[in-house]
Amino acid sequence: GHSDPLSYVTEWVYDRPALSVVHGPRGGGKSYGAGLATWIDSLRYDRHQTKILGGSRAQSGQIYAALEDFDLSRPGMLEHFGKEAASFKTGSAVSILTASPRSVRGPHVPTLRLDEVDEIPADLRDAALGMCMAKHGVSASVSMTSTWHRVGGPMQALQDRAAEERIPWHTFCAFEVLEPCPDERSGP
């Protein structure tokens, strides 16, 4: 019942589900995949806006930092890359939200990325959902990614909700993201 790690990125880019949840291992690339989808949206749609809210500032920063990595592969698309906000030559903008009630009631954007939702208080997460709305012909899309830290915690509630409401749910584990160890390193 596991997904390959790029299936959720493809879904986010092409299908733009209103809400989707990704559960994966620590270090499995969930945040980097969210960064890739954000990069593609920011180039694909003029004046597109994305907000990133993480379980911590460092977690939000992982998605955000991926944008700079992708700029290395296609240089010159970023117009400005600051500490917490970036702008693209397409007029698109990406910024990090602080985990506070005031910041999640900010401007409306078509894309909202929530990372490490198992660490975001449910009331803050739910308040943030109100920020996301269709804009400039692009449908609203909220993506939630996380490891599963607590039995019976927010991820459990999201999994139950996803099953009940048929919200796209992707899960993968370390076995889907392991690299083969070459013989010269480990032996035959």
Side-chain angles (χ1 to χ4, degrees):
H2 284 200
S3 304
D4 67 272
L6 284 178
S7 61
Y8 68 89
V9 174
T10 303
E11 181 180 81
W12 289 345
V13 170
Y14 291 106
D15 300 334
R16 291 192 58 79
L19 178 62
S20 65
V21 183
V22 174
H23 163 243
R26 186 178 165 122
K30 301 175 303 295
S31 300
Y32 205 72
L36 175 59
T38 300
W39 173 263
I40 292 169
D41 285 347
S42 297
L43 296 180
R44 186 176 182 195
Y45 304 113
D46 291 341
R47 300 178 298 140
H48 190 76
Q49 293 181 318
T50 301
K51 297 287 184 185
I52 302 166
L53 174 64
S56 69
R57 167 70 175 84
Q59 198 62 46
S60 299
Q62 287 185 17
I63 294 175
Y64 184 72
L67 301 177
E68 198 169 31
D69 284 354
F70 296 120
D71 192 54
L72 294 173
S73 66
R74 191 170 177 192
M77 298 311 295
L78 279 174
E79 190 169 77
H80 169 75
F81 189 81
K83 198 172 182 180
E84 296 183 348
S87 60
F88 289 76
K89 292 198 173 167
T90 59
S92 296
V94 177
S95 60
I96 295 173
L97 295 170
T98 58
S100 73
R102 188 175 180 179
S103 75
V104 299
R105 288 182 176 86
H108 296 292
V109 297
T111 301
L112 178 62
R113 306 249 183 249
L114 303 175
D115 200 22
E116 285 307 335
V117 294
D118 212 35
E119 298 298 322
I120 300 172
D123 60 332
L124 195 64
R125 180 194 69 219
D126 293 344
L129 297 178
M131 294 178 62
C132 199
M133 65 182 287
K135 207 170 180 184
H136 306 299
V138 181
S139 62
S141 182
V142 177
S143 63
M144 297 186 191
T145 57
S146 195
T147 51
W148 204 316
H149 299 285
R150 294 185 295 278
V151 174
M155 282 299 284
Q156 181 65 57
L158 286 171
Q159 184 183 39
D160 295 345
R161 181 179 171 195
E164 192 176 293
E165 298 176 26
R166 296 188 178 171
I167 295 168
W169 173 279
H170 296 271
T171 193
F172 61 97
C173 69
F175 294 106
E176 279 89 22
V177 295
L178 286 175
E179 288 186 49
C181 189
D183 288 346
E184 59 270 7
R185 201 168 14 160
S186 66

